[in-house]
Amino acid sequence: MHPTLLISAFVTALVFSILSFMTVAAVLPELKMEWVLSETEAGLLGGIFFAGYVAGVLVLASLTDRIDPKWIYILSALVGGVSTIFIGLFADGLAAGLLLRFFAGLGMAGTYMPGLRGLTDTLAEPFKNKGLVYYTSFFALGSGLSVLVSGEINQALDWRWAFILTGAGFFIAAGIVAVVLPTRPPLASAEKPDTHPLDFRPVIRNRHAMAYVVAVIGATWEVFAYRVWAPSFLLFLAPTAPSGYLFEPTVMATLIAFIGIPASTWLGQLTERLDRRRTLIITSAISTVLALVIALNLAQPYWLLIILCLALGMTSYGRNAPITAGMMAAADPKLKGATMAFFAAVGFSGGVFGPFLFGLAADAAGGKADATAWSAGFLALAVGGVITVVGLCVLGKANEA
């Protein structure tokens, strides 16, 4: 298959595999009311998906150093699809929701990074970096469509159908990968790592790779807190919108997610020519400032806050592709799967803490849907950019490209 077609197929599969990624965010007001959730419990429900992802990716991505990622992808997609559909069919409260969303996260753990491994291993130069940049950048398209599609299904039917129909995307993704990804021949003994699949000590000793692990903790803290809470925040802002306001909160949240696609692609290509570390430090610092400005200026006009939200969408998600590219470049070739696993598991733990601490901060500020609570939430979100800056400054080297 031509490299461009292969990249397009994998991007399409990625979008379908994460169609249920932000369904909780899109239907959170209904779930909070029906399941009688506090802000902290709502944040926990938003973040538990990433706990499942972290738990699963340590094993599943690491196993791609030994097992064909194609089969890991297909089996994981089936787990993700079944668990998501079961939320719509059977979940009746927080406990069931947490359990099933955890398994949905496991499903994503076996599709996202193993999918990237399968794609980049199949592509020849100079298409490897192009495939990496587009694959990781289009995560924003899938997460944005997740908010939009889930919100529209929720309005047309209800929140249960939102989970059922978006969960079916996992099965479509599995079908695409089954068709387009060649089966990898068994690896020779010399090509396999000498370490245990869960021995991450060589990865931890790789200072360059660890800089990007810490960097992605901050990026996912920020991105996923923003993704989970953006629809509700935009609903809070909606009464201040001028007459003729055209966009529902879920539609505006989708636009904020979509703007991350060109930002991530552009920044990923830019850091191939400039100093990657320095560019990411500057972008992360700008992202922190934007989050602080939003937190401290909620009384400003609606149009100004929307511009700030769009800018934050660019600087937060825009870091994804270059951080992932930095990790891949720093990885030992024989330990690429283990490095990806550690990067995804430890790094994406920010996706667990970000949404939860956003909700916890809002509760601590009174737990009401008012400006004080939202200011506290965005102050918690701003910590993500600081983590990225600190990680790259402490572990990175100034001459790293």
Side-chain angles (χ1 to χ4, degrees):
M1 177 177 290
H2 190 276
T4 300
L5 292 177
L6 183 64
I7 294 170
S8 300
F10 262 84
V11 166
T12 303
L14 171 67
V15 170
F16 276 110
S17 72
I18 57 176
L19 204 55
S20 62
F21 181 63
M22 285 288 114
T23 301
V24 166
V27 303
L28 194 56
E30 287 79 4
L31 289 178
K32 286 170 63 178
M33 183 178 299
E34 187 165 330
W35 291 356
V36 195
L37 304 178
S38 69
E39 299 300 322
T40 301
E41 288 172 332
L44 182 60
L45 183 63
I48 195 66
F49 180 92
F50 307 110
Y53 179 86
V54 168
V57 79
L58 272 173
V59 176
L60 297 173
S62 186
L63 284 176
T64 62
D65 287 331
R66 296 165 171 82
I67 300 174
D68 188 349
K70 176 177 181 176
W71 303 116
I72 295 174
Y73 188 109
I74 292 172
L75 292 174
S76 299
L78 297 180
V79 170
V82 169
S83 58
T84 302
I85 290 172
F86 274 21
I87 295 175
L89 292 176
F90 304 116
D92 57 359
L94 181 62
L98 289 175
L99 178 64
L100 291 170
R101 280 295 281 178
F102 181 87
F103 277 98
L106 286 177
M108 181 182 159
T111 55
Y112 182 50
M113 280 293 172
L116 178 61
R117 178 70 187 271
L119 174 63
T120 54
D121 282 357
T122 305
L123 292 171
E125 296 291 355
F127 291 97
K128 284 185 183 293
N129 185 68
K130 179 180 179 182
L132 186 152
V133 168
Y134 276 92
Y135 184 86
T136 53
S137 296
F138 271 74
F139 191 98
L141 176 62
S143 62
L145 280 177
S146 177
V147 174
L148 177 62
V149 172
S150 299
E152 292 301 312
I153 295 172
N154 182 41
Q155 287 191 3
L157 301 171
D158 60 23
W159 66 266
R160 291 189 178 276
W161 278 106
F163 281 105
I164 292 169
L165 295 180
T166 59
F170 272 111
F171 299 116
I172 298 173
I176 292 172
V177 170
V179 171
V180 304
L181 182 62
T183 300
R184 187 176 73 183
L187 296 175
S189 298
E191 297 176 295
K192 296 180 180 179
D194 300 324
T195 59
H196 186 275
L198 296 180
D199 182 4
F200 297 107
R201 289 174 296 178
V203 176
I204 296 171
R205 289 194 292 266
N206 185 338
R207 183 184 178 94
H208 289 176
M210 286 302 298
Y212 291 101
V213 170
V214 177
V216 85
I217 291 174
T220 56
W221 175 300
E222 187 176 318
V223 167
F224 295 137
Y226 200 25
R227 292 289 189 268
V228 167
W229 288 101
S232 297
F233 176 63
L234 293 165
L235 185 63
F236 163 75
L237 293 181
T240 68
S243 59
Y245 173 54
L246 298 177
F247 298 116
E248 294 290 334
T250 52
V251 176
M252 185 61 71
T254 303
L255 294 177
I256 291 172
F258 280 2
I259 203 169
I261 301 172
S264 186
T265 303
W266 177 78
L267 196 61
Q269 295 173 343
L270 181 67
T271 54
E272 287 296 306
R273 301 190 298 272
L274 302 178
D275 184 286
R276 180 182 289 124
R277 171 182 170 272
R278 185 176 299 131
T279 305
L280 283 168
I281 289 172
I282 293 171
T283 305
S284 303
I286 294 172
S287 202
T288 300
V289 170
L290 286 168
L292 293 174
V293 170
I294 293 172
L296 301 176
N297 291 275
L298 292 180
Q300 295 300 313
Y302 175 83
W303 64 267
L304 178 58
L305 289 169
I306 290 298
I307 291 174
L308 291 171
C309 286
L310 290 169
L312 181 59
M314 295 176 66
T315 57
S316 61
Y317 193 78
R319 308 202 298 272
N320 187 44
I323 290 176
T324 306
M327 175 273 297
M328 296 286 276
D332 181 331
K334 290 180 68 173
L335 294 170
K336 187 178 293 184
T339 306
M340 293 170 69
F342 195 81
F343 172 86
V346 178
F348 277 65
S349 64
V352 179
F353 294 111
F356 173 68
L357 291 176
F358 192 113
L360 188 64
D363 267 345
K368 298 179 180 179
D370 59 15
T372 302
W374 286 113
S375 292
F378 273 95
L379 288 174
L381 182 148
V383 174
V386 176
I387 293 172
T388 299
V389 170
V390 171
L392 292 172
C393 286
V394 173
L395 293 173
K397 290 186 177 181
N399 62 354
E400 183 182 354

